[in-house]
Amino acid sequence: MKMADMIHLNYLLLSVVNRFGMNLGFGDDTIEEQCKKHNINTEFFLEIVNTFNDKNYFPQKRMQSFSVMDIIGYLQKTHKFYLELKLPYIESMISELIAQNQGHEKNLSLLVHFFKEYERELINHIEREEKVVYPYIKEIEKALDAKLKDKILFDKMNAYPIDKYEGEHDNVEEKLFDLKNIIIKYLPPLENSNMLNRVLNELFKLEKDLNDHSRIEDKVLVPKVSQMEENFRKLFV
Amino acid sequence: MRKFQGILFIQNYLLGLGIEQFLKNDVGISSILRFSSFSEFENTIQQLSDSIVIIEDELFDLYKTFIVENPNIFANSKVVFIKKDKQTLLANYELVDSIIECTFEKAELLDVINGLLKQFPSKDTSIKSEKRELSDREKTIVKLVALGKTANEIAEELYLSSHTVITHRKNISKKLGIKTVSGLTVYAILNNIVSFEEINK
């Protein structure tokens, strides 16, 4: 299939595709050609794009068969997308919203405050993964490859195995859900609400993206790493 | 005056009797049916519009199975779960409309039941029925949550058990569609349940 045709089919895939370093101006390249140009595993790319496109499509086992580095690599690119593009974009829209609705400072400041709290929680969650969880996974991978009986790592693993880390998605999701509901139901109507519509639109898109992201973390990464931990444990038997 | 029906799935004799009397005398629902199991219920053909269904905590697992096999049977009813033991945790809270506890006072029970009765689609088209207003007790709890109090602190202040407070929290979340403390705080300020200044103290 040509890359261009894929975008015609679902333009929302563009933000996913960008994460792999691919940008508009695809010419007549096929998906495979684009992947080769950017040094991406074509099979992996196709699975990611298909799961994003259709929420009922999620071949768990197949996705677990990819290398843990590919999986983490994609998750990290998604984090970058949230931190560098999505969140700042929503922030700037909210600023614009306030500028356009001078009479509603009190209510809008509540909204801003809530959004900033949500942002902080999301950022903390992401940082924890980047600084603690992913390095830990890489260590396990390295130790397995070298068949190294790393005792310190072993203790670390027993103290905090991967499934303990990943119980945290729910709280952050709840906040986003509340934020949407407050905007839809409880914020008193504004004169100039067009920007508010756009903010809400972005929140819905962010939510969908985060759900896909969590699904990959929970159903692909965690089981795969649990298996790696099992294999690592076997080294010590 | 609308004719509502009460359908009880309660095995405990005294509890069933008590609830039946409460519905008859305090709420004004005179048509009550009591079943001790779901199979007993299946064997009788029942007209199920305008029904309040009350289910005892022990029967919850059976209820879950029952509605998997009969997905639409309670679609137009309001389903209430009653906890005898405050410590019982309810996993699939989405499967019920409200939770009550045996230790609720009459006023609290009336709040919950009347609140549910108001949600039935009205035959009179001029009345808007989906108004999920908070009861006074619930408003008080929202206010205390917004002021940063924990469930234990709220329980102490209102002379309730912390489990009861959590039950109220869940009912509130269900009514409003808001789950987090910060969300409830924003709601409280927007609806003048608490003021900006009180929060920032």
Side-chain angles (χ1 to χ4, degrees):
Chain A
M1 186 187 228
K2 288 192 199 170
M3 198 63 147
D5 292 332
M6 189 185 80
I7 301 295
H8 273 295
L9 233 141
N10 184 357
Y11 71 95
L12 293 170
L13 290 173
L14 197 47
S15 78
V16 175
V17 153
N18 287 156
R19 284 166 229 189
F20 288 96
M22 304 174 189
N23 293 306
L24 287 171
F26 301 118
D28 280 310
D29 283 355
T30 61
I31 293 177
E32 182 150 25
E33 283 164 356
Q34 276 282 319
C35 285
K36 290 215 154 63
K37 273 186 191 171
H38 289 90
N39 218 349
I40 308 256
N41 178 336
T42 309
E43 300 302 318
F44 181 65
F45 177 82
L46 284 171
E47 296 298 349
I48 294 288
V49 158
N50 276 309
T51 57
F52 193 88
N53 184 47
D54 180 1
K55 72 173 197 276
N56 293 319
Y57 177 78
F58 199 78
Q60 205 166 324
K61 282 279 180 267
R62 174 139 172 69
M63 295 191 76
Q64 284 169 15
S65 71
F66 293 112
S67 86
V68 87
M69 290 306 159
D70 274 343
I71 298 170
I72 292 185
Y74 172 69
L75 294 174
Q76 285 183 304
K77 288 171 195 155
T78 309
H79 285 165
K80 201 160 180 243
F81 170 68
Y82 297 147
L83 294 176
E84 293 177 13
L85 283 177
K86 213 53 166 174
L87 292 176
Y89 181 49
I90 297 178
E91 264 185 72
S92 73
M93 280 201 291
I94 292 182
S95 299
E96 184 58 36
L97 176 68
I98 295 181
Q100 289 178 5
N101 285 281
Q102 288 295 340
H104 296 259
E105 275 126 12
K106 261 206 168 156
N107 292 338
L108 289 179
S109 73
L110 279 177
L111 188 66
V112 169
H113 189 74
F114 195 33
F115 178 72
K116 290 221 157 105
E117 251 189 54
Y118 167 70
E119 230 185 352
R120 185 91 310 267
E121 269 189 42
L122 183 59
I123 292 175
N124 286 342
H125 176 85
I126 290 176
E127 279 180 355
R128 188 145 183 265
E129 286 179 342
E130 296 273 345
K131 294 188 174 147
V132 179
V133 183
Y134 295 166
Y136 162 74
I137 297 176
K138 289 177 181 170
E139 273 185 78
I140 300 264
E141 166 101 331
K142 249 175 49 185
L144 270 180
D145 271 346
K147 294 205 170 22
L148 187 65
K149 286 162 96 166
D150 184 338
K151 187 70 175 55
I152 299 176
L153 184 57
F154 186 67
D155 290 337
K156 213 188 203 178
M157 176 178 82
N158 287 329
Y160 237 100
I162 188 77
D163 46 29
K164 226 172 169 184
Y165 277 120
E166 293 295 342
E168 301 175 353
H169 289 145
D170 297 334
N171 283 334
V172 194
E173 276 164 21
E174 280 181 357
K175 252 209 168 84
L176 182 54
F177 180 78
D178 280 3
L179 180 56
K180 281 163 52 195
N181 241 349
I182 287 174
I183 292 177
I184 296 173
K185 289 166 85 168
Y186 301 119
L187 207 59
L190 305 171
E191 284 114 39
N192 214 341
S193 63
N194 192 275
M195 189 54 90
L196 189 58
N197 291 353
R198 289 170 61 184
V199 168
L200 186 63
N201 198 294
E202 285 303 319
L203 291 175
F204 269 101
K205 290 203 306 212
L206 177 61
E207 190 184 42
K208 185 225 185 290
D209 206 301
L210 283 168
N211 286 341
D212 280 326
H213 185 79
S214 302
R215 191 165 64 156
I216 295 176
E217 284 177 343
D218 294 339
K219 302 225 162 119
V220 180
L221 188 63
V222 171
K224 193 173 172 72
V225 173
S226 285
Q227 185 59 53
M228 284 164 64
E229 285 174 337
E230 244 332 281
N231 295 341
F232 183 60
R233 194 165 278 128
K234 288 191 182 136
L235 289 180
F236 288 81
V237 154
Chain B
M1 188 46 203
R2 292 265 303 274
K3 282 227 78 181
F4 290 105
Q5 189 183 53
I7 301 186
L8 313 183
F9 291 97
I10 299 183
Q11 286 171 345
N12 181 299
Y13 175 69
L14 286 177
L15 184 64
L17 192 60
I19 295 196
E20 186 171 339
Q21 290 307 310
F22 164 70
L23 290 175
K24 280 185 175 161
N25 299 336
D26 298 324
V27 182
I29 295 178
S30 53
S31 165
I32 312 259
L33 296 168
R34 265 160 66 182
F35 300 96
S36 49
S37 72
F38 292 100
S39 38
E40 213 182 298
F41 172 71
E42 270 180 306
N43 295 331
T44 54
I45 304 166
Q46 298 301 332
Q47 172 59 269
L48 274 192
S49 56
D50 295 359
S51 297
I52 292 245
V53 178
I54 303 189
I55 302 174
E56 192 178 19
D57 43 16
E58 275 120 20
L59 296 176
F60 188 67
D61 286 331
L62 291 173
Y63 167 68
K64 278 197 286 190
T65 319
F66 182 65
I67 53 173
V68 164
E69 293 161 7
N70 304 279
N72 293 316
I73 204 162
F74 293 133
N76 296 321
S77 315
K78 295 294 173 190
V79 178
V80 179
F81 177 79
I82 178 156
K83 279 168 44 166
K84 293 195 298 293
D85 174 1
K86 289 179 200 163
Q87 320 242 357
T88 314
L89 290 176
L90 193 48
N92 303 74
Y93 184 51
E94 297 73 39
L95 298 174
V96 304
D97 290 298
S98 243
I99 306 176
I100 54 178
E101 292 180 9
C102 285
T103 49
F104 274 16
E105 311 237 331
K106 179 169 153 182
E108 286 173 297
L109 290 170
L110 283 174
D111 266 346
V112 172
I113 301 293
N114 284 328
L116 290 174
L117 292 181
K118 287 202 189 113
Q119 288 175 30
F120 282 101
S122 180
K123 307 215 162 80
D124 177 353
T125 48
S126 66
I127 299 174
K128 276 209 130 187
S129 56
E130 272 296 319
K131 279 238 142 186
R132 299 183 139 198
E133 270 181 50
L134 293 184
S135 67
D136 288 334
R137 174 67 100 199
E138 287 167 340
K139 282 189 186 145
T140 310
I141 293 186
V142 168
K143 177 169 183 165
L144 294 173
V145 166
L147 291 174
K149 311 249 168 165
T150 65
N152 284 330
E153 288 169 341
I154 297 176
E156 251 188 71
E157 223 175 284
L158 300 178
Y159 302 105
L160 300 170
S161 83
S162 58
H163 295 281
T164 307
V165 172
I166 292 173
T167 299
H168 280 301
R169 272 291 302 270
K170 288 194 176 170
N171 285 337
I172 292 168
S173 289
K174 194 138 205 212
K175 275 191 191 176
L176 300 179
I178 295 182
K179 294 182 186 171
T180 63
V181 169
S182 355
L184 286 174
T185 308
V186 172
Y187 174 86
I189 298 178
L190 290 176
N191 287 278
N192 297 315
I193 292 176
V194 83
S195 75
F196 216 70
E197 292 70 28
E198 283 173 281
I199 305 253
N200 288 326
K201 254 201 294 193

